[in-house]
Amino acid sequence: MRRLFYLVREAWANMRTNRMTTIVAILTTAFTLTCVGIFLLIYVNLQHAAGWLQEDVKIMVYLEDRLSRDGRLQLELMLKSDRMVGSVLYISKEQALTEFRTQFPADSHLLEGLGENPLPASFVVTLAQSFRSPEAIKEWVEQVQTMGGVAKVDYNQQWISLLAELIGYIELAALGVGILLSAAAVTIIGNTIRLALFARREEIEILRSIGATGTFIRVPYFLEGAALGACGSALSLGILKVGFELFRQQVQFISRFSEMEGLISFFPLSACLALVLAGTALGFTGSVVSLLRVGEGRV
Amino acid sequence: MDAMIQLIHVSKWYDRRPALSDVMLEIEKGEFVLLMGPSGSGKSTILRMLIGEEQPDEGQLFVQGKNVTKLKRSEIPYLRRKVGSVFQDFRLLPKKSVFDNVALPLIVQGVSEKDIRRKVTEALRAVGVEHKRDQSPSSLSTGEQQRACIARAIVNGPVVLLADEPTGNLDPELTGEIIELFKLINARGTTVVVATHNHHVMHQVNCRVISLMQGVVLPERAMPERVGV
Ligand SMILES: Nc1ncnc2c1ncn2[C@@H]1O[C@H](COP(=O)(O)OP(=O)(O)OP(=O)(O)O)[C@@H](O)[C@H]1O
Ligand SMILES: [Mg+2]
């Protein structure tokens, strides 16, 4: 009990005596983790947006005008029995016309002159949850296009594939930046620990001479490294949160669409905890790296 | 009597210069021994080897029957808990109180709070600095600092106490007091080895003297009467 208390107190004393290096270490760690965090935040939000957009993907299957009622029913049955299809909604020529008139009242005269209703009937298809990836959608569309009675299949393809591509790049960048900057954080904390060790080499010498085990000597520095990592990551989360709120205010100010606000989001609590844990692990790793050869029985 | 410390054909070189040459030595349980010799004769080297801080290039060392040269790294701390050491430079932690300094070997071993208090108080009383327990080491006189160091070395009841030039920083009067303290500790059954080049020490204590000269043990003179068990 006293031993545990001693170890924690030593770690705390370490950080207090080297206050300046401690602060610098926390700040630089926070800065590097913030950079990683920005990428993560962008990534998470794009992923979120992609999910949202894909949720909204409606595939329009336009029908040929000469398709009989039976043919149409048969097609509807086929679509509905497809396991990739979530829902199918039929929109007749008349419904399409009404919808057009309500959506674009000013332009409705354009249709008047044409006499016969020029709008085709269609199925609005939403794919099942697990088949909403851009590749799956594309494949499905190509297949439906060849069916009899289908005039044209339409969906907002560019958007989705573009976003998918972008997310792929961001993912790669986040991974690269993450690894690089995590290594930087480990090095920074490792160096801080090395400095602390150097400052206390006499004390370590004494501990050794009175029979302290290597573990006992090392533990305060492990704790210090972990604490530095935890503080650094917590601080970086704070910075990110503030930056995020400022950004959101800007967006709100610029855009008239209030929905934009709901579109971007910060990390959920669980992710925040995971990030702090990751920071702690990085700090711990840093101290382990610099303590590999310290505190052993022989000098 | 059992041998507490044994050196068998121990040799050590630093940069190809011999620091110890074929040293044969046996110190028995409960003995009080002075390790004498001029500067550079290898006294500290022997003591460092006995606590596993250094390895001989040749030969074997035994402490209480255990071969120190064959200890694994992880076993060395446990050797040091049986062998207390006192140095010329006191090596007290300046930011901790005398009490906490003396308690350190017990904390390291995970001794209970209650036993720590009892044992530290006992050790401080034995060396006569109990009244300074809450002060910082820097506020103590040099003699008191060395006493605190001795308290730290004996607090967990070691079987051997090694002292390397323990009086090097002390005037003759204090030297005498410290030597008396060692005798007292020895009288309680602890084997004591004091390394020094100070001949005054030899005159203050009537005990076995092992003389070293350039890494070689000189033949012992007629054994004087032994102190202790
Ligand atoms: N780490 C080392 N590196 C190189 N040489 C060393 C080292 N330690 C000791 N020596 C050499 O070994 C010899 C014995 O040293 P040692 O410290 O044992 O002498 P000593 O008897 O304790 O001397 P003193 O009375 O000055 O303390 C000396 O010649 C010294 O220079
Ligand atoms: Mg010496």
Side-chain angles (χ1 to χ4, degrees):
Chain A
M1 191 54 219
R2 173 118 181 186
R3 182 149 54 162
L4 188 74
F5 179 62
Y6 173 88
L7 293 173
V8 172
R9 208 178 39 181
E10 283 306 288
W12 175 239
N14 263 353
M15 305 206 317
R16 282 190 37 156
T17 27
N18 312 312
R19 209 167 305 159
M20 208 52 221
T21 35
T22 302
I23 291 172
V24 169
I26 291 177
L27 285 182
T28 41
T29 309
F31 177 74
T32 45
L33 292 181
T34 304
C35 294
V36 179
I38 288 173
F39 272 91
L40 272 181
L41 207 48
I42 294 175
Y43 176 68
V44 166
N45 272 295
L46 278 182
Q47 193 101 69
H48 185 74
W52 185 78
L53 275 179
Q54 267 162 25
E55 194 88 346
D56 212 39
V57 168
K58 290 194 166 47
I59 303 173
M60 307 296 297
V61 180
Y62 295 109
L63 305 178
E64 287 173 354
D65 274 354
R66 57 185 172 76
L67 187 66
S68 68
R69 192 182 126 82
D70 275 354
R72 196 243 305 157
L73 286 175
Q74 207 178 345
L75 194 59
E76 184 168 356
L77 210 67
M78 251 166 77
L79 289 177
K80 275 187 172 156
S81 59
D82 190 336
R83 66 190 177 94
M84 284 181 68
V85 173
S87 69
V88 178
L89 181 71
Y90 176 65
I91 296 179
S92 66
K93 287 173 74 79
E94 292 72 37
Q95 280 169 327
L97 188 63
T98 327
E99 209 165 291
F100 183 87
R101 284 202 173 119
T102 48
Q103 274 192 21
F104 310 99
D107 298 329
S108 57
H109 67 274
L110 283 176
L111 297 176
E112 305 290 289
L114 290 170
E116 205 188 332
N117 178 1
L119 297 175
S122 60
F123 288 122
V124 181
V125 177
T126 314
L127 290 184
Q129 198 88 49
S130 43
F131 298 105
R132 283 185 188 153
S133 73
E135 302 82 52
I137 294 174
K138 200 165 163 224
E139 206 172 297
W140 189 82
V141 164
E142 273 163 11
Q143 184 204 324
V144 171
Q145 222 139 23
T146 62
M147 287 180 175
V150 173
K152 194 172 176 243
V153 185
D154 233 357
Y155 71 108
N156 37 356
Q157 177 181 12
Q158 292 108 318
W159 261 107
I160 293 170
S161 46
L162 197 73
L163 200 65
E165 207 174 328
L166 192 62
I167 287 177
Y169 285 130
I170 297 269
E171 199 168 29
L172 220 62
L175 200 69
V177 169
I179 290 175
L180 215 71
L181 293 184
S182 295
V186 167
T187 314
I188 290 162
I189 292 177
N191 271 325
T192 311
I193 299 298
R194 227 184 304 260
L195 277 177
L197 282 172
F198 187 72
R200 315 195 103 196
R201 59 197 183 284
E202 273 178 37
E203 186 170 339
I204 290 172
E205 196 61 31
I206 292 171
L207 282 172
R208 266 191 201 138
S209 74
I210 60 165
T213 55
T215 312
F216 184 90
I217 293 172
R218 288 178 182 132
V219 164
Y221 300 93
F222 288 151
L223 290 178
E224 183 179 350
L228 289 178
C231 290
S233 52
L235 184 60
S236 77
L237 275 180
I239 295 172
L240 282 173
K241 179 74 182 166
V242 169
F244 174 79
E245 287 304 331
L246 288 177
F247 176 74
R248 181 144 76 173
Q249 260 176 22
Q250 282 296 312
V251 167
Q252 217 173 341
F253 189 66
I254 295 168
S255 102
R256 290 155 295 161
F257 309 110
S258 52
E259 322 146 31
M260 264 308 273
E261 201 189 324
L263 250 179
I264 52 173
S265 60
F266 198 64
F267 299 121
L269 188 67
S270 58
C272 290
L273 286 179
L275 284 175
V276 172
L277 269 182
T280 312
L282 287 180
F284 187 77
T285 311
S287 50
V288 167
V289 168
S290 45
L291 282 167
L292 279 182
R293 281 185 313 272
V294 173
E296 297 193 332
R298 285 169 192 141
V299 183
Chain B
M1 264 198 264
D2 316 317
M4 180 57 80
I5 293 171
Q6 262 182 312
L7 277 72
I8 300 173
H9 298 298
V10 169
S11 298
K12 177 84 183 174
W13 288 268
Y14 287 112
D15 312 321
R16 298 190 176 182
R17 293 204 2 241
L20 290 176
S21 310
D22 199 29
V23 170
M24 294 289 282
L25 205 60
E26 194 164 316
I27 295 171
E28 273 155 27
K29 190 161 171 281
E31 262 193 298
F32 190 120
V33 174
L34 277 186
L35 198 54
M36 302 270 322
S39 185
S41 55
K43 308 180 293 288
S44 301
T45 306
I46 290 179
L47 296 191
R48 282 203 302 271
M49 283 178 180
L50 286 173
I51 56 169
E53 216 176 275
E54 203 119 37
Q55 286 290 306
D57 292 321
E58 273 173 19
Q60 319 278 323
L61 289 91
F62 293 85
V63 173
Q64 215 181 20
K66 262 217 150 184
N67 192 336
V68 175
T69 39
K70 295 242 164 74
L71 286 184
K72 288 194 228 112
R73 267 158 196 249
S74 57
E75 290 172 324
I76 285 174
Y78 302 95
L79 167 70
R80 291 178 185 171
R81 292 172 191 186
K82 285 198 306 191
V83 181
S85 28
V86 176
F87 310 92
Q88 174 175 359
D89 49 335
F90 307 130
R91 302 201 192 171
L92 292 166
L93 294 173
K95 286 193 194 112
K96 293 193 192 306
S97 69
V98 170
F99 184 94
D100 284 346
N101 264 288
V102 175
L104 213 50
L106 301 174
I107 292 173
V108 156
Q109 293 179 45
V111 174
S112 78
E113 186 75 44
K114 204 178 95 212
D115 286 351
I116 288 180
R117 213 167 305 130
R118 182 174 55 79
K119 288 183 174 177
V120 172
T121 308
E122 231 167 67
L124 286 174
R125 190 177 300 151
V127 302
V129 289
E130 201 194 354
H131 55 296
K132 306 269 172 140
R133 49 177 286 162
D134 294 323
Q135 297 188 15
S136 93
S138 55
S139 70
L140 268 59
S141 72
T142 43
E144 286 166 341
Q145 286 185 33
Q146 191 56 297
R147 283 166 187 270
C149 283
I150 295 168
R152 184 180 63 191
I154 60 169
V155 73
N156 54 358
V159 290
V160 183
L161 180 62
L162 304 178
D164 192 359
E165 217 76 69
T167 58
N169 284 338
L170 306 177
D171 60 38
E173 195 180 326
L174 284 176
T175 299
E177 287 178 13
I178 294 293
I179 294 300
E180 283 306 310
L181 188 52
F182 281 135
K183 277 202 221 164
L184 226 64
I185 292 164
N186 175 245
R188 292 177 179 189
T190 308
T191 307
V192 177
V193 180
V194 178
T196 181
H197 60 243
N198 182 351
H199 284 272
H200 295 298
V201 174
M202 196 168 68
H203 300 309
Q204 273 164 332
V205 59
N206 185 19
C207 67
R208 182 177 165 202
V209 176
I210 297 170
S211 300
L212 269 177
M213 189 68 83
Q214 291 181 340
V216 178
V217 177
L218 301 182
E220 286 180 47
R221 288 167 295 184
M223 290 269 191
E225 71 178 80
R226 286 179 194 171
V227 177
V229 184

